[in-house]
Structures are given as C-alpha cells and as structure tokens.
C-alpha cells in the first residue's frame, strides 16, 4: 500500500507477517486486558505498511498501556511519564525516515502529559498517537483518571470523584489536531481500518481507543460492545455517508437550526433529508466538535466511533527541514562550536 | 500463537471461558468449544476459568492432545474470522478429531 505520509521511510525487503512484529518478551498485562487485543490488531496491521522494521519506532510514557513497545519487534522507547509526545516529536522532526508511533494512556496523556499532547497536536508533527483510554490509572492499581466519569469511586476517591472528565476527542479537536478518530479494542475490523487511515495521514493522527481494564474498571464500555445496547449507543461515522444508526438506521443526527447544535432524532420521511452527511474533511472543526459532544459522558449513549476529522495542513517536520535548508542556503552550514562560544559567552576569572 | 481447547471440554461445554473472552473468539461446536486462532489475542483470560483445565497455550498442550490444535484451526476453515461468536451461534458440527471420539453412554 503506497502511503503518502510514509514516502521517506524505507520499505521492507521481504513480505512481512504479524509474527515478524512479535517480540520475544513475555507479555505482562493481566489476563483479559483490552491491551492484548490492541497489540494483536497493531501487529496484524503493520505488515500492510511493508516498512523496514528498523525504521519503525514506538515511544510510550508510563502505565500498563505504555508497556506496548516491549512487545513490538521494532525500535521502541518506554520513556518518562507523559513525555512520549515530546520525545517522539524530536525523533520524528529529526529523522523523517522513521515511522513514529506514540502509545499512551488516559492518565499518561491527559494528566501529567496534557501539555505535551496538545502541543504535538498543534504542531502537526508526523506522529501516530494511540491513546488507550480505560478511564482509570491501571498500573498504579485503580485511581480515577481525567476521563473517569463524575462520582467515580476509587481508592483515591472513596466518596466519588468531583471533577468533570475530559473528552479526548473534543480536546484534540480544540488543540488543532488534523486527524482525530475513536475506536474500540474489541472491534478488530474497525480498529484496523482506523489504524490504516491514521497511518496514511501526513501529520499528527490521534486515535482514542476505548480499552477495557478488566481488573480496575471492568465493563467501562460494555454498553458499546453488547449487541443489543450498541444499537442505541454506537454511531459509526463514515465519510460521505448520512450519520444514521440503530436498527435499520432508524436514528439519525440532525442540526438544530437555531443553535447549530447536533441532536439525535428518529428518522422519518419528513426529516430524512435533514440527516447530517459526515464530512471528515470539512475545513473547520466545528461539526466534528459537535459530534464529539453527542455522547453522554456517563452512559456513553450516542458515542460516535470512526474518523471525526482528517484534514491536510503543513507538517512540522517538513516545515522544519525546509527552514533548515533555507538557512543553509542563505547563511551557509552553521558551526555549532562557534555558536556555543559566540558573542554572548564570557569567562568568570578566579579572584586570586 | 493461540490458545487451544483440548479433550476435557468434549461433551461438557461448561462455557465459563466464553464469558471471559474479551474478543468473543470462542465458538461453540456440537460437542466442544473451539478457539479461533486468527481472532484469539493471547490474553490468557479463558485458561484459568475452565473448571476442567481444558484450555492450553498451544505450545503447552500435553503430548496426547496436540491434535486439538489442528482441530481448533481447521474448524474455522470455512468460517474464517467472522469477528465474534455471538453473531454466529452454536454449530451442529465438530472437527473429525472431536467427532470421532466415543460418545459417553448417557446416564
Ligand atoms: C512522574 C510520575 N508520577 C506518577 C507516576 C505514577 N504513575 C504511574 S502510571 C500512572 C498513571 C497511568 O495511567 P494511564 O496512563 O491511564 O495508564 P494505564 O495503566 O491505565 O494503561 C501514574 C500516575 C509515575 N510513574 N511517574
Ligand atoms: S491493570 Fe488493567 S489496564 Fe493494567 S494490565 Fe491489568 S487489566 Fe490491563
Ligand atoms: S470452560 Fe472449559 S469445559 Fe467449559 S466450554 Fe470452556 S473449555 Fe470447555
Ligand atoms: S486467550 Fe483470550 S482471546 Fe484467546 S480465546 Fe482465551 S480469552 Fe479469548
Ligand atoms: Mg488508563
């Protein structure tokens, strides 16, 4: 598959299989953890890209999810809590021959690493960020996280959490992200298709992956996984298609003309033509943002999954490389030692 | 790599494993359950809950039961990876390795 975002990354010499991406490390997540399904989906997808493994890097922060790089037979770095986007930014900007992926959790990305995340998104660095959202701190044994629902009872909030959660998709859209998607750990097909679209995107792609932590927050997404309840809970976004869901597409999303807000209606012959057609490539993020607000943060009813937004805008790595070329053209190749010992340095002589 | 369901499950089908599997890849045959090797994500959740220790990581299958690996793989020859057992429902067939086992006299 020729992928525009990856033209500078060398191709593998031979055909790859998912096995080529499995490392020799024993996988140490709790039995039944949603992370296994995500790992299998990523390992299953990588051969499709056909990139040289030594030119692929997975950078993570700290958390259960952040153990991911150990299990990928690629380069990787289990870095500092919340700092994966910063480290990956440096790597992607200085090595455009690498395919750089970030694996992070809801705590890692949105608590301690919140600033790093928004600035990577704003810069549009060529990174693919997989945000495993289990709505809990898993590694530290179950404290509430910035995506936990209000009133969450955990070890650190015995009487219920008081603060309103972040919606990672809304947050990313507000931070100028050029590609934002959401998918679910157990839906292999949807997860793989989302990875495919993210990989093809030039610039930062953020995928929020709803992930079950079966030990400290089991069943957080059951309403989206149970066939019956999913009918009313899951809205599958597909570019260019009317946003309809439920049994036989009985429900649809329309815009309230007075407020511009979106709402869910039962589709009738009268309102059918009003049903919104999903446009992931819309120039402004307004409608994508409105879509991200449809879900009820407590019940998760009306949760859109799929690509909310995918637009092209200048990529930081490219801009930086071009600027360096221009600088060399205009001023010649620089001399770092000369710069360091330049005008603004002085020596403090000893008094004696 | 995948987990495999061996002999002890035959004619028992307690199905405790089915509730544990996060990706719903344990499919029901007439006399045994079968793990879809293309869908299993190796999470190990099913193995400890089986009351009769029928489930093994494929490399750890006891010597006499290695045929069950073939059974679990070949059971899906036509079915492929349908993306969840709930949508498929129980099958009224078994792989020959299972079908050829003697049926216990009903009590
Ligand atoms: C500087 C620093 N502060 C705090 C911690 C403790 N800590 C480890 S992981 C973690 C949160 C992990 O949550 P999340 O990112 O959601 O990952 P999960 O385990 O849920 O996958 C915290 C607070 C740490 N390791 N380092
Ligand atoms: S604590 Fe939760 S997130 Fe961490 S490995 Fe266990 S199940 Fe997975
Ligand atoms: S729990 Fe064990 S005996 Fe029961 S269906 Fe699963 S494998 Fe068979
Ligand atoms: S190892 Fe996990 S994914 Fe595989 S069959 Fe067992 S529960 Fe399902
Ligand atoms: Mg978490």
């Amino acid at each position: 598959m020729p992928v525009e975002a990856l033209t500078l990354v060398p191709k593998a010499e031979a055909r790859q299989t998912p096995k080529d991406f499995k490392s020799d490390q024993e996988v140490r997540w709790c039995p039944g953890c949603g992370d296994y399904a995500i790992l299998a989906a990523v390992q299953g997808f990588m051969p499709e890209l056909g990139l040289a493994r030594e030119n692929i890097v997975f950078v993570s922060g700290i958390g259960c999810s952040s153990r991911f790089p150990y299990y990928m037979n690629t380069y990787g770095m289990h870095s500092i809590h919340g700092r994966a986007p910063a480290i990956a930014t440096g790597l992607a900007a200085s090595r455009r021959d690498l395919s750089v992926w970030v694996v992070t959790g809801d705590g890692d990305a949105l608590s301690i690493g919140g600033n790093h995340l928004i600035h990577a998104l704003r810069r549009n660095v060529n990174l693919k960020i997989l945000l495993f959202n289990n709505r809990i701190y898993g590694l530290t044994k179950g404290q509430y996280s910035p995506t936990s629902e209000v009133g969450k009872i955990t070890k650190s909030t015995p009487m219920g959490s008081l603060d309103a959660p972040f919606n990672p998709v809304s947050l990313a859209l507000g931070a100028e992200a050029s590609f934002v998607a959401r998918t679910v750990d157990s839906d292999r097909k949807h997860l793989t298709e989302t990875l495919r679209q993210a990989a093809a995107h030039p610039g930062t792609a953020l995928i929020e992956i709803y992930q079950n932590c079966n030990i400290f927050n089991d069943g957080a997404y059951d309403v989206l996984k149970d066939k019956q309840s999913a009918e009313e809970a899951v809205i599958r976004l597909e570019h260019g298609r009317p946003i309809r869901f439920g049994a036989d597409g009985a429900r649809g999303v329309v815009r309230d003309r007075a407020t511009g807000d979106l709402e869910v209606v039962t589709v009738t012959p009268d309102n059918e033509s009003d049903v919104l057609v999903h446009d992931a490539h819309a120039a402004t993020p307004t409608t994508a943002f409105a879509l991200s607000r449809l879900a009820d943060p407590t019940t998760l009813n009306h949760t859109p999954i799929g690509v909310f937004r995918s637009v092209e805008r200048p990529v930081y790595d490219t801009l930086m490389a071009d600027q360096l070329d221009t600088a060399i053209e205009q001023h010649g190749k620089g001399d770092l030692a000369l710069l360091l010992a330049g005008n603004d340095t002085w020596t403090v002589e000893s008094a004696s | 790599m995948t987990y495999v369901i061996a002999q002890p499950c035959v004619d028992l089908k307690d199905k405790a494993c089915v509730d544990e599997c996060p990706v719903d890849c344990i499919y029901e045959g007439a006399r045994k359950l079968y793990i879809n090797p293309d869908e299993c994500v190796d999470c190990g959740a099913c193995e400890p809950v089986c009351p009769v220790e029928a489930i093994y990581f494929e490399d750890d299958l006891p010597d006499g039961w290695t045929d069950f690996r073939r059974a679990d793989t070949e059971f899906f020859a036509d079915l492929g990876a349908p993306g969840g057992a709930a949508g498929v429902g129980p099958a009224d067939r078994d792989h020959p390795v299972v079908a050829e086992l003697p049926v216990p006299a009903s009590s």
Side-chain angles (χ1 to χ4, degrees):
Chain A
M1 177 176 73
V3 170
E4 200 220 333
L6 298 166
T7 43
L8 298 177
V9 184
K11 296 281 168 292
E13 278 167 19
R15 233 185 108 97
Q16 299 163 326
T17 68
K19 233 186 180 134
D20 293 325
F21 288 92
K22 291 183 189 183
S23 78
D24 59 1
Q25 297 299 299
E26 187 194 338
V27 185
R28 292 210 191 143
W29 288 312
C30 307
C33 175
D35 291 357
Y36 286 94
I38 304 171
L39 177 65
V42 171
Q43 287 168 334
F45 167 68
M46 291 316 279
E48 205 179 284
L49 291 178
L51 302 173
R53 277 183 308 190
E54 60 273 25
N55 288 72
I56 304 173
V57 193
F58 281 81
V59 184
S60 66
I62 299 294
C64 297
S65 36
S66 288
R67 295 191 57 78
F68 201 90
Y70 293 118
Y71 311 135
M72 291 296 297
N73 195 8
T74 62
Y75 276 98
M77 185 172 179
H78 185 189
S79 82
I80 315 165
H81 204 11
R83 271 61 185 176
I87 291 163
T89 292
L91 197 57
S94 57
R95 288 286 307 273
R96 295 167 71 214
D97 60 328
L98 301 181
S99 165
V100 184
W101 298 70
V102 168
V103 175
T104 182
D106 43 320
D108 189 61
L110 301 169
S111 289
I112 195 168
N115 257 307
H116 294 292
L117 179 75
I118 58 176
H119 291 287
L121 295 169
R122 166 177 76 81
R123 290 191 175 114
N124 204 28
V125 186
N126 197 11
L127 300 175
K128 313 302 158 217
I129 304 176
L130 312 181
L131 196 171
F132 294 22
N133 182 5
N134 52 15
R135 308 186 86 181
I136 203 84
Y137 289 179
L139 188 76
T140 48
K141 302 195 177 174
Q143 298 79 10
Y144 83 116
S145 89
T147 57
S148 297
E149 59 279 18
V150 178
K152 183 94 182 158
I153 293 178
T154 69
K155 288 170 190 148
S156 59
T157 50
M159 293 174 68
S161 61
L162 302 171
D163 34 336
F166 269 141
N167 174 327
V169 169
S170 303
L171 181 88
L173 289 165
E176 307 291 343
S178 56
F179 182 105
V180 187
R182 178 187 288 140
T183 186
V184 184
D185 57 2
S186 56
D187 189 339
R188 178 75 165 262
K189 223 172 122 200
H190 192 267
L191 175 47
T192 304
E193 176 54 28
T194 311
L195 291 170
R196 190 175 289 132
Q197 294 197 44
H201 177 73
T204 313
L206 179 117
I207 307 181
E208 179 190 23
I209 306 174
Y210 281 168
Q211 174 243 325
N212 192 41
C213 167
N214 54 313
I215 301 299
F216 297 112
N217 200 19
D218 194 21
Y221 301 111
D222 275 2
V223 62
L224 309 178
K225 296 181 179 186
D226 174 78
K227 222 169 168 276
Q228 199 74 43
S229 56
E231 296 242 318
E232 185 64 16
V234 179
I235 304 177
R236 287 175 182 265
L237 300 174
E238 284 174 60
H239 175 73
R241 315 244 331 159
I243 307 177
R244 295 182 67 159
F245 63 103
D248 301 319
R251 310 276 275 157
V253 173
V254 299
R255 197 188 301 279
D256 180 316
R257 286 186 206 281
T259 64
D261 259 350
L262 300 184
E263 58 181 351
V264 169
V265 296
T266 297
V267 180
T268 64
D270 284 343
N271 67 13
E272 192 167 8
S273 60
D274 294 336
V275 172
L276 201 68
V277 173
H278 183 47
D279 180 7
H281 309 318
T284 80
T286 310
T287 305
F289 187 82
L291 281 169
S292 78
R293 309 309 294 174
L294 266 184
D296 181 318
T298 306
T299 63
L300 294 183
N301 236 7
H302 305 155
T303 296
I305 64 169
V307 178
F308 286 73
R309 179 166 168 79
S310 170
V311 294
E312 291 216 16
R313 64 182 180 85
V315 177
Y316 184 82
D317 333 10
T318 316
L319 294 174
M320 192 182 98
D322 289 351
Q323 194 174 61
L324 288 173
D325 288 347
T326 309
I328 291 171
E329 224 169 80
Q330 291 178 351
H331 308 288
K333 209 165 159 46
D335 183 335
L336 183 63
L338 212 61
L339 185 71
L340 289 176
N343 291 340
D344 287 336
T345 62
W346 59 90
T347 308
V348 179
E349 304 287 353
S350 73
S352 57
Chain B
M1 296 293 175
T2 177
Y3 281 73
V4 171
I5 300 183
Q7 165 97 46
C9 178
V10 178
D11 298 321
L12 181 69
K13 300 207 301 182
D14 163 89
K15 293 199 244 181
C17 55
V18 174
D19 291 336
E20 292 301 317
C21 180
V23 294
D24 191 24
C25 72
I26 308 181
Y27 293 69
E28 188 174 351
R31 297 177 62 191
K32 185 183 93 84
L33 279 95
Y34 297 82
I35 294 178
N36 190 324
D38 290 330
E39 294 180 342
C40 171
V41 298
D42 287 354
C43 78
C46 52
E47 187 253 1
V49 300
C50 175
V52 291
E53 289 182 39
I55 308 180
Y56 292 87
F57 188 60
E58 61 175 321
D59 291 349
D60 303 333
L61 271 169
D63 282 347
W65 292 341
T66 49
D67 270 358
F68 283 89
R69 189 191 153 171
R70 195 161 55 82
D72 276 20
T73 304
E74 291 173 0
F75 184 80
F76 296 95
D78 295 328
L79 209 52
V88 173
D92 56 4
R93 63 192 174 89
D94 277 297
H95 184 271
V97 165
V98 177
E100 284 158 14
L101 291 170
V103 182
S106 51
S107 48

